[in-house]
Amino acid sequence: MEKGLRKRSRRTRDLAKSKTLHPDYLPARDARWPVSHAATHSKISPRIQELANPNSRAPVNLVYYDPNAFKVKPAALTAQCSARVRKLAEPVVH
């Protein structure tokens, strides 16, 4: 026996063996498989065809355009802020 090599114990040999597969294990399916006859000769119903078409929507520039988006309300023009809000609005000087 060479130096550094020792006889393996039974326990070490048992641990070195690979595990067996589960009895219900199914190997991975091949990436290519034949297409069924039903799939190649299917007919599309009118309802499925209707659902397959995209919804018709108005153009985005018309949907999101709001002419009053930048109009300031009259109440906001005459608003008065409190002393506390005015104090909090002052910049901090370091």
Side-chain angles (χ1 to χ4, degrees):
M1 211 190 278
E2 293 180 27
K3 186 177 181 182
L5 295 179
R6 297 189 176 175
K7 186 176 178 183
R8 294 182 301 165
S9 68
R10 185 167 190 257
R11 170 97 173 120
T12 306
R13 280 181 295 197
D14 290 342
L15 290 173
K17 291 180 183 174
S18 62
K19 289 185 174 182
T20 59
L21 296 175
H22 191 275
D24 296 337
Y25 171 76
L26 295 173
R29 187 163 78 172
D30 190 20
R32 295 178 64 178
W33 59 90
V35 180
S36 68
H37 177 77
T40 55
H41 294 84
S42 63
K43 303 281 188 225
I44 300 173
S45 68
R47 176 68 177 147
I48 297 294
Q49 186 62 41
E50 178 187 343
L51 292 172
N53 293 331
N55 294 337
S56 59
R57 297 183 177 140
V60 176
N61 59 350
L62 296 178
V63 173
Y64 292 113
Y65 176 70
D66 183 9
N68 297 323
F70 300 103
K71 196 180 249 187
V72 180
K73 296 180 181 178
L77 293 173
T78 60
Q80 299 289 321
C81 68
S82 65
R84 175 74 177 144
V85 172
R86 191 176 291 117
K87 174 76 173 150
L88 290 172
E90 290 177 6
V92 178
V93 180
H94 294 284

